[in-house]
PDB file of all heavy atoms in Angstrom:
ATOM      1  N   LYS N  44      -5.765  13.050 -19.154  1.00 96.00           N
ATOM      2  CA  LYS N  44      -5.241  11.682 -19.228  1.00 96.00           C
ATOM      3  C   LYS N  44      -4.525  11.306 -17.934  1.00 96.00           C
ATOM      4  O   LYS N  44      -4.642  10.179 -17.456  1.00 96.00           O
ATOM      5  CB  LYS N  44      -4.303  11.523 -20.433  1.00 96.00           C
ATOM      6  CG  LYS N  44      -5.025  11.577 -21.751  1.00 96.00           C
ATOM      7  CD  LYS N  44      -6.035  10.454 -21.831  1.00 96.00           C
ATOM      8  CE  LYS N  44      -6.775  10.443 -23.132  1.00 96.00           C
ATOM      9  NZ  LYS N  44      -7.813   9.423 -23.176  1.00 96.00           N
ATOM     10  N   ALA N  45      -3.791  12.251 -17.357  1.00 96.00           N
ATOM     11  CA  ALA N  45      -3.092  11.987 -16.099  1.00 96.00           C
ATOM     12  C   ALA N  45      -4.087  11.726 -14.976  1.00 96.00           C
ATOM     13  O   ALA N  45      -3.853  10.850 -14.127  1.00 96.00           O
ATOM     14  CB  ALA N  45      -2.172  13.155 -15.754  1.00 96.00           C
ATOM     15  N   ILE N  46      -5.196  12.441 -14.965  1.00 95.00           N
ATOM     16  CA  ILE N  46      -6.229  12.219 -13.944  1.00 95.00           C
ATOM     17  C   ILE N  46      -6.879  10.852 -14.146  1.00 95.00           C
ATOM     18  O   ILE N  46      -7.136  10.136 -13.173  1.00 95.00           O
ATOM     19  CB  ILE N  46      -7.271  13.354 -13.955  1.00 95.00           C
ATOM     20  CG1 ILE N  46      -6.622  14.634 -13.425  1.00 95.00           C
ATOM     21  CG2 ILE N  46      -8.498  12.976 -13.121  1.00 95.00           C
ATOM     22  CD1 ILE N  46      -7.485  15.875 -13.559  1.00 95.00           C
ATOM     23  N   GLU N  47      -7.105  10.471 -15.388  1.00 93.00           N
ATOM     24  CA  GLU N  47      -7.664   9.140 -15.652  1.00 93.00           C
ATOM     25  C   GLU N  47      -6.730   8.051 -15.135  1.00 93.00           C
ATOM     26  O   GLU N  47      -7.177   7.072 -14.534  1.00 93.00           O
ATOM     27  CB  GLU N  47      -7.914   8.954 -17.148  1.00 93.00           C
ATOM     28  CG  GLU N  47      -9.096   9.737 -17.666  1.00 93.00           C
ATOM     29  CD  GLU N  47      -9.272   9.632 -19.173  1.00 93.00           C
ATOM     30  OE1 GLU N  47      -8.572   8.815 -19.825  1.00 93.00           O
ATOM     31  OE2 GLU N  47     -10.113  10.382 -19.710  1.00 93.00           O
ATOM     32  N   LYS N  48      -5.440   8.199 -15.351  1.00 94.00           N
ATOM     33  CA  LYS N  48      -4.470   7.222 -14.846  1.00 94.00           C
ATOM     34  C   LYS N  48      -4.472   7.201 -13.322  1.00 94.00           C
ATOM     35  O   LYS N  48      -4.373   6.138 -12.705  1.00 94.00           O
ATOM     36  CB  LYS N  48      -3.071   7.523 -15.376  1.00 94.00           C
ATOM     37  CG  LYS N  48      -2.906   7.209 -16.837  1.00 94.00           C
ATOM     38  CD  LYS N  48      -1.503   7.525 -17.312  1.00 94.00           C
ATOM     39  CE  LYS N  48      -1.359   7.275 -18.803  1.00 94.00           C
ATOM     40  NZ  LYS N  48      -0.012   7.593 -19.285  1.00 94.00           N
ATOM     41  N   LEU N  49      -4.585   8.373 -12.716  1.00 94.00           N
ATOM     42  CA  LEU N  49      -4.652   8.471 -11.264  1.00 94.00           C
ATOM     43  C   LEU N  49      -5.879   7.725 -10.741  1.00 94.00           C
ATOM     44  O   LEU N  49      -5.791   6.953  -9.781  1.00 94.00           O
ATOM     45  CB  LEU N  49      -4.697   9.942 -10.839  1.00 94.00           C
ATOM     46  CG  LEU N  49      -4.920  10.227  -9.364  1.00 94.00           C
ATOM     47  CD1 LEU N  49      -3.731   9.750  -8.539  1.00 94.00           C
ATOM     48  CD2 LEU N  49      -5.169  11.706  -9.148  1.00 94.00           C
ATOM     49  N   GLU N  50      -7.016   7.939 -11.374  1.00 91.00           N
ATOM     50  CA  GLU N  50      -8.245   7.258 -10.968  1.00 91.00           C
ATOM     51  C   GLU N  50      -8.115   5.746 -11.104  1.00 91.00           C
ATOM     52  O   GLU N  50      -8.561   4.996 -10.225  1.00 91.00           O
ATOM     53  CB  GLU N  50      -9.425   7.750 -11.803  1.00 91.00           C
ATOM     54  CG  GLU N  50      -9.835   9.166 -11.501  1.00 91.00           C
ATOM     55  CD  GLU N  50     -10.889   9.707 -12.443  1.00 91.00           C
ATOM     56  OE1 GLU N  50     -11.029   9.192 -13.586  1.00 91.00           O
ATOM     57  OE2 GLU N  50     -11.565  10.661 -12.045  1.00 91.00           O
ATOM     58  N   GLN N  51      -7.484   5.290 -12.173  1.00 91.00           N
ATOM     59  CA  GLN N  51      -7.280   3.851 -12.359  1.00 91.00           C
ATOM     60  C   GLN N  51      -6.418   3.273 -11.247  1.00 91.00           C
ATOM     61  O   GLN N  51      -6.706   2.197 -10.714  1.00 91.00           O
ATOM     62  CB  GLN N  51      -6.631   3.571 -13.713  1.00 91.00           C
ATOM     63  CG  GLN N  51      -7.543   3.814 -14.888  1.00 91.00           C
ATOM     64  CD  GLN N  51      -6.793   3.713 -16.221  1.00 91.00           C
ATOM     65  OE1 GLN N  51      -5.569   3.721 -16.276  1.00 91.00           O
ATOM     66  NE2 GLN N  51      -7.551   3.632 -17.308  1.00 91.00           N
ATOM     67  N   LEU N  52      -5.384   3.990 -10.892  1.00 92.00           N
ATOM     68  CA  LEU N  52      -4.488   3.544  -9.832  1.00 92.00           C
ATOM     69  C   LEU N  52      -5.221   3.457  -8.497  1.00 92.00           C
ATOM     70  O   LEU N  52      -5.104   2.458  -7.774  1.00 92.00           O
ATOM     71  CB  LEU N  52      -3.290   4.493  -9.726  1.00 92.00           C
ATOM     72  CG  LEU N  52      -2.255   4.172  -8.658  1.00 92.00           C
ATOM     73  CD1 LEU N  52      -1.572   2.851  -8.958  1.00 92.00           C
ATOM     74  CD2 LEU N  52      -1.240   5.295  -8.577  1.00 92.00           C
ATOM     75  N   ILE N  53      -5.991   4.491  -8.172  1.00 91.00           N
ATOM     76  CA  ILE N  53      -6.733   4.501  -6.908  1.00 91.00           C
ATOM     77  C   ILE N  53      -7.787   3.399  -6.899  1.00 91.00           C
ATOM     78  O   ILE N  53      -7.933   2.670  -5.906  1.00 91.00           O
ATOM     79  CB  ILE N  53      -7.363   5.883  -6.660  1.00 91.00           C
ATOM     80  CG1 ILE N  53      -6.263   6.918  -6.433  1.00 91.00           C
ATOM     81  CG2 ILE N  53      -8.315   5.838  -5.466  1.00 91.00           C
ATOM     82  CD1 ILE N  53      -6.759   8.357  -6.401  1.00 91.00           C
ATOM     83  N   LEU N  54      -8.506   3.241  -8.002  1.00 90.00           N
ATOM     84  CA  LEU N  54      -9.532   2.211  -8.074  1.00 90.00           C
ATOM     85  C   LEU N  54      -8.924   0.822  -7.957  1.00 90.00           C
ATOM     86  O   LEU N  54      -9.443  -0.033  -7.238  1.00 90.00           O
ATOM     87  CB  LEU N  54     -10.333   2.324  -9.369  1.00 90.00           C
ATOM     88  CG  LEU N  54     -11.426   1.275  -9.570  1.00 90.00           C
ATOM     89  CD1 LEU N  54     -12.442   1.319  -8.431  1.00 90.00           C
ATOM     90  CD2 LEU N  54     -12.108   1.471 -10.918  1.00 90.00           C
ATOM     91  N   SER N  55      -7.816   0.592  -8.616  1.00 90.00           N
ATOM     92  CA  SER N  55      -7.146  -0.702  -8.537  1.00 90.00           C
ATOM     93  C   SER N  55      -6.762  -1.021  -7.091  1.00 90.00           C
ATOM     94  O   SER N  55      -6.997  -2.128  -6.601  1.00 90.00           O
ATOM     95  CB  SER N  55      -5.902  -0.697  -9.428  1.00 90.00           C
ATOM     96  OG  SER N  55      -5.205  -1.903  -9.301  1.00 90.00           O
ATOM     97  N   GLY N  56      -6.191  -0.040  -6.412  1.00 89.00           N
ATOM     98  CA  GLY N  56      -5.833  -0.238  -5.008  1.00 89.00           C
ATOM     99  C   GLY N  56      -7.051  -0.514  -4.154  1.00 89.00           C
ATOM    100  O   GLY N  56      -7.021  -1.371  -3.253  1.00 89.00           O
ATOM    101  N   HIS N  57      -8.129   0.180  -4.436  1.00 90.00           N
ATOM    102  CA  HIS N  57      -9.373  -0.022  -3.682  1.00 90.00           C
ATOM    103  C   HIS N  57      -9.908  -1.435  -3.892  1.00 90.00           C
ATOM    104  O   HIS N  57     -10.294  -2.109  -2.934  1.00 90.00           O
ATOM    105  CB  HIS N  57     -10.409   1.019  -4.111  1.00 90.00           C
ATOM    106  CG  HIS N  57     -11.700   0.907  -3.383  1.00 90.00           C
ATOM    107  ND1 HIS N  57     -11.829   1.188  -2.038  1.00 90.00           N
ATOM    108  CD2 HIS N  57     -12.942   0.547  -3.809  1.00 90.00           C
ATOM    109  CE1 HIS N  57     -13.085   1.002  -1.667  1.00 90.00           C
ATOM    110  NE2 HIS N  57     -13.784   0.610  -2.727  1.00 90.00           N
ATOM    111  N   LEU N  58      -9.917  -1.873  -5.142  1.00 90.00           N
ATOM    112  CA  LEU N  58     -10.427  -3.215  -5.440  1.00 90.00           C
ATOM    113  C   LEU N  58      -9.568  -4.296  -4.793  1.00 90.00           C
ATOM    114  O   LEU N  58     -10.093  -5.287  -4.282  1.00 90.00           O
ATOM    115  CB  LEU N  58     -10.487  -3.427  -6.959  1.00 90.00           C
ATOM    116  CG  LEU N  58     -11.532  -2.601  -7.706  1.00 90.00           C
ATOM    117  CD1 LEU N  58     -11.352  -2.790  -9.214  1.00 90.00           C
ATOM    118  CD2 LEU N  58     -12.939  -2.948  -7.273  1.00 90.00           C
ATOM    119  N   GLU N  59      -8.271  -4.096  -4.805  1.00 89.00           N
ATOM    120  CA  GLU N  59      -7.353  -5.105  -4.273  1.00 89.00           C
ATOM    121  C   GLU N  59      -7.290  -5.131  -2.754  1.00 89.00           C
ATOM    122  O   GLU N  59      -6.876  -6.141  -2.183  1.00 89.00           O
ATOM    123  CB  GLU N  59      -5.953  -4.883  -4.844  1.00 89.00           C
ATOM    124  CG  GLU N  59      -5.880  -5.160  -6.329  1.00 89.00           C
ATOM    125  CD  GLU N  59      -4.544  -4.784  -6.945  1.00 89.00           C
ATOM    126  OE1 GLU N  59      -3.642  -4.357  -6.207  1.00 89.00           O
ATOM    127  OE2 GLU N  59      -4.415  -4.912  -8.171  1.00 89.00           O
ATOM    128  N   SER N  60      -7.690  -4.049  -2.106  1.00 90.00           N
ATOM    129  CA  SER N  60      -7.590  -4.026  -0.645  1.00 90.00           C
ATOM    130  C   SER N  60      -8.953  -3.848   0.022  1.00 90.00           C
ATOM    131  O   SER N  60      -9.479  -4.779   0.628  1.00 90.00           O
ATOM    132  CB  SER N  60      -6.622  -2.937  -0.188  1.00 90.00           C
ATOM    133  OG  SER N  60      -7.070  -1.663  -0.610  1.00 90.00           O
ATOM    134  N   CYS N  61      -9.540  -2.681  -0.104  1.00 90.00           N
ATOM    135  CA  CYS N  61     -10.777  -2.364   0.618  1.00 90.00           C
ATOM    136  C   CYS N  61     -11.934  -3.287   0.241  1.00 90.00           C
ATOM    137  O   CYS N  61     -12.680  -3.744   1.118  1.00 90.00           O
ATOM    138  CB  CYS N  61     -11.175  -0.912   0.374  1.00 90.00           C
ATOM    139  SG  CYS N  61      -9.926   0.277   0.889  1.00 90.00           S
ATOM    140  N   VAL N  62     -12.094  -3.558  -1.036  1.00 93.00           N
ATOM    141  CA  VAL N  62     -13.198  -4.413  -1.473  1.00 93.00           C
ATOM    142  C   VAL N  62     -13.008  -5.827  -0.945  1.00 93.00           C
ATOM    143  O   VAL N  62     -13.942  -6.431  -0.395  1.00 93.00           O
ATOM    144  CB  VAL N  62     -13.335  -4.397  -3.012  1.00 93.00           C
ATOM    145  CG1 VAL N  62     -14.299  -5.478  -3.492  1.00 93.00           C
ATOM    146  CG2 VAL N  62     -13.787  -3.022  -3.487  1.00 93.00           C
ATOM    147  N   VAL N  63     -11.808  -6.347  -1.079  1.00 92.00           N
ATOM    148  CA  VAL N  63     -11.525  -7.699  -0.592  1.00 92.00           C
ATOM    149  C   VAL N  63     -11.762  -7.778   0.914  1.00 92.00           C
ATOM    150  O   VAL N  63     -12.409  -8.704   1.408  1.00 92.00           O
ATOM    151  CB  VAL N  63     -10.083  -8.123  -0.954  1.00 92.00           C
ATOM    152  CG1 VAL N  63      -9.726  -9.441  -0.296  1.00 92.00           C
ATOM    153  CG2 VAL N  63      -9.921  -8.210  -2.474  1.00 92.00           C
ATOM    154  N   GLU N  64     -11.258  -6.789   1.654  1.00 93.00           N
ATOM    155  CA  GLU N  64     -11.450  -6.765   3.103  1.00 93.00           C
ATOM    156  C   GLU N  64     -12.927  -6.676   3.461  1.00 93.00           C
ATOM    157  O   GLU N  64     -13.398  -7.362   4.375  1.00 93.00           O
ATOM    158  CB  GLU N  64     -10.703  -5.585   3.718  1.00 93.00           C
ATOM    159  CG  GLU N  64      -9.200  -5.742   3.695  1.00 93.00           C
ATOM    160  CD  GLU N  64      -8.474  -4.466   4.125  1.00 93.00           C
ATOM    161  OE1 GLU N  64      -9.103  -3.590   4.767  1.00 93.00           O
ATOM    162  OE2 GLU N  64      -7.276  -4.354   3.819  1.00 93.00           O
ATOM    163  N   GLY N  65     -13.664  -5.827   2.758  1.00 93.00           N
ATOM    164  CA  GLY N  65     -15.093  -5.678   3.031  1.00 93.00           C
ATOM    165  C   GLY N  65     -15.858  -6.968   2.826  1.00 93.00           C
ATOM    166  O   GLY N  65     -16.735  -7.321   3.628  1.00 93.00           O
TER     167      GLY N  65
END
Side-chain angles (χ1 to χ4, degrees):
K44 290 299 181 184
I46 290 172
E47 287 175 9
K48 288 180 183 179
L49 174 66
E50 290 173 337
Q51 289 172 346
L52 180 65
I53 293 171
L54 179 59
S55 176
H57 181 68
L58 291 173
E59 292 173 3
S60 61
C61 301
V62 169
V63 172
E64 290 172 19

